[in-house]
Amino acid sequence: MVNHNRPLDLAFGAFSHPIRRGILSRLAAGEAAVADLARPYRVSAPAISRHLRILERAGLLSRRKQGREHRLRLEHRRMEEAQRWLDEQHALWNQRLDRLEKYLKENP
Amino acid sequence: MVNHNRPLDLAFGAFSHPIRRGILSRLAAGEAAVADLARPYRVSAPAISRHLRILERAGLLSRRKQGREHRLRLEHRRMEEAQRWLDEQHALWNQRLDRLEKYLKENP
DNA sequence: ATTATGGTTAACCATTAGGTTAAATGTAGA
DNA sequence: TCTACATTTAACCTAATGGTTAACCATAAT
């Protein structure tokens, strides 16, 4: 039951920081360059650069160099995998709660 | 745009390890004691104990001592908050893709 | 050819994660 | 009471996060 799922590890790890979540939200609205993504935060450029590296390693975004700027865009596939895991959990515990409720209804 | 959301940070951080996800899955099926949760994994008891602490600190499970064993159960509220964040992202990028599709349909 | 801009890499620091073994705690059973 | 069991805490190690400043690389603008 080792169930090694490195992509999911990386994706959830990436979600665990507010700046990275902010960047993903921003990218949901469409492509952007590093400077655009950095603007809202009061951290240094290298800090942003590393957040981007973490997101990229997790497969949550991809980059293409266009002139001197890097344009980032969301990769929703990986995002959806994470969502799927949470949905599954939700289904699991709901299923259990439903059974419980049914049992209580039948055994008053 | 700092948007500090510590609970979400902790929840996603907690999801980022396969053992912790396994534990949550197991708990979706109902309450369990520490030893039950540890059984599938080949790590020491202290290791499990710390995974549990991380899950607990993230508000994803609660514990009650019953005799000498600790019974853990899922706290789905926090789990649902995380799910909600992903759902929102999904909605955001879908909305954008829909607009794009519509645009392409109207400008052939 | 210089300079400015967009971004990353290097080197450093402090904190946390993830594991180990050994020792401590609290409860149950003989 | 002595022992066995369930679990945590302590002490230790290594690796990864998250931030900094300073230096670097590539492209654009003058």
Side-chain angles (χ1 to χ4, degrees):
Chain A
M1 199 82 7
V2 207
N3 209 357
H4 209 301
N5 193 336
R6 194 93 181 109
L8 224 40
D9 295 2
L10 293 174
F12 282 127
F15 296 152
S16 76
H17 193 288
I19 290 188
R20 291 192 295 260
R21 287 199 305 279
I23 287 174
L24 292 173
S25 282
R26 170 58 240 273
L27 287 178
E31 249 190 32
V34 175
D36 306 325
L37 298 173
R39 202 163 352 264
Y41 310 105
R42 299 169 354 129
V43 295
S44 63
I48 295 295
S49 183
R50 290 164 52 154
H51 283 305
L52 292 176
R53 199 154 47 97
I54 288 174
L55 288 164
E56 206 175 2
R57 183 169 48 119
L60 292 165
L61 54 80
S62 59
R63 106 172 46 202
R64 62 175 227 277
K65 265 162 260 189
Q66 182 181 272
R68 64 183 161 181
E69 61 182 25
H70 299 200
R71 313 228 87 229
L72 290 313
R73 76 172 151 74
L74 205 63
E75 286 296 330
H76 22 51
R77 264 231 325 265
R78 187 54 52 76
M79 202 100 162
E80 282 163 333
E81 285 174 38
Q83 196 182 12
R84 191 149 40 248
W85 185 81
L86 276 170
D87 286 347
E88 276 167 21
Q89 300 309 304
H90 194 117
L92 281 180
W93 83 64
N94 260 358
Q95 182 181 318
R96 184 184 153 260
L97 292 183
D98 288 352
R99 268 203 302 271
L100 185 62
E101 197 182 344
K102 190 174 167 221
Y103 173 83
L104 291 177
K105 198 156 279 180
E106 289 173 355
N107 305 44
Chain B
M1 200 79 4
V2 207
N3 210 354
H4 208 298
N5 192 336
R6 196 91 181 109
L8 224 39
D9 295 1
L10 292 174
F12 282 127
F15 296 152
S16 75
H17 193 290
I19 290 187
R20 291 194 292 260
R21 287 199 304 279
I23 287 174
L24 291 173
S25 282
R26 171 57 240 275
L27 287 179
E31 247 190 32
V34 175
D36 305 326
L37 297 173
R39 205 169 344 272
Y41 310 104
R42 296 167 0 125
V43 294
S44 64
I48 295 294
S49 182
R50 291 166 53 156
H51 283 304
L52 293 176
R53 200 155 47 98
I54 288 173
L55 288 164
E56 206 176 0
R57 182 169 49 118
L60 292 165
L61 56 79
S62 58
R63 109 175 41 204
R64 63 175 225 276
K65 267 163 254 187
Q66 181 181 274
R68 62 182 162 183
E69 61 182 24
H70 299 199
R71 315 228 84 227
L72 290 312
R73 77 174 150 71
L74 205 63
E75 286 296 330
H76 24 54
R77 266 234 322 267
R78 188 54 52 76
M79 202 101 162
E80 282 163 331
E81 284 173 38
Q83 196 182 12
R84 190 149 42 245
W85 185 82
L86 277 169
D87 285 347
E88 276 166 22
Q89 299 309 304
H90 193 118
L92 280 181
W93 82 64
N94 259 359
Q95 180 182 318
R96 185 182 153 260
L97 292 181
D98 288 351
R99 267 202 303 270
L100 186 60
E101 196 183 344
K102 190 175 167 222
Y103 173 83
L104 291 176
K105 197 156 279 176
E106 291 172 355
N107 305 44

